[in-house]
Amino acid sequence: MTETLSESATLTGERADLLRTLNKHRHFLRFTTRDLTDEQAGLRTTVSALCLGGLVKHVAAVERVWVDFILDGPSAMPDFSAMAEGDFAERADEFRLLPGETLAGVLAEYAAVALRTDELIAALPDLDATQPLPEAPWFESGARWSARQVLLHIIAETAQHAGHADIIRESLDGAKTMG
């Protein structure tokens, strides 16, 4: 596993548990890309539009924006009510490797995002601190999320996409994350 703050710093209790769980799922996601070329990392192997490089890129973007949310509140999020066709196209690009992007590059970006998250988890004064969620059809109106809830969401998102990645990798060349 790639060393992160959680493995080198002395954290205990809930923060250590959150980081240990997040790092486990990050590892599974990264592990699905082992020994791949950039071309392989960009291949769609199922009927979905997902590819391994794009999943890593997406998970990094999701983690980045949610950490920004912990720090800056809803202003860190896009204005979902004003999204236009171009915004949706840009979001779709988040799930694929674009020309000039490499697997090594998206993995390096993901490592930088992960380190920032780990440092924030270690330094946050209060995991109970909340921010109002932005207005969006998928959020309850007026809801607030604590830093803890955001971290649990990042863990769930990472785990879900690590599972997607495992299926894509197995479809690509039979390799599995586990087993």
Side-chain angles (χ1 to χ4, degrees), residues 40-72:
Q40 290 170 312
L43 290 176
R44 295 173 46 198
T45 63
T46 67
V47 296
S48 81
L50 301 176
C51 67
L52 291 170
L55 278 173
V56 172
K57 189 172 136 180
H58 168 70
V59 171
V62 166
E63 187 169 321
R64 181 186 317 103
V65 77
W66 279 108
V67 167
D68 290 345
F69 172 82
I70 290 172
L71 295 169
D72 302 323

Side-chain angles (χ1 to χ4, degrees), residues 2 9 28 35 37 58 62 75 96 132 138-139 153-154 161 176:
T2 303
F28 288 144
D35 304 324
T37 66
H58 168 70
V62 166
S75 65
R96 59 189 185 100
W138 47 87
F139 293 136
H153 179 72
I154 292 169
H161 287 311
K176 299 177 189 175

Side-chain angles (χ1 to χ4, degrees), residues 138-153:
W138 47 87
F139 293 136
E140 179 184 340
S141 182
R144 299 179 68 88
W145 276 12
S146 67
R148 177 184 300 99
Q149 180 62 42
V150 170
L151 294 170
L152 291 169
H153 179 72

Side-chain angles (χ1 to χ4, degrees), residues 10-17:
T10 306
L11 291 177
T12 59
E14 180 179 24
R15 291 169 196 262
D17 291 344

Side-chain angles (χ1 to χ4, degrees), residues 121-145:
I121 293 170
L124 272 175
D126 184 4
L127 293 177
D128 290 323
T130 65
Q131 297 278 11
L133 288 172
E135 290 299 319
W138 47 87
F139 293 136
E140 179 184 340
S141 182
R144 299 179 68 88
W145 276 12

Side-chain angles (χ1 to χ4, degrees), residues 94-108:
E94 195 176 276
F95 289 93
R96 59 189 185 100
L97 284 180
L98 299 175
E101 292 179 330
T102 65
L103 178 58
V106 296
L107 287 168

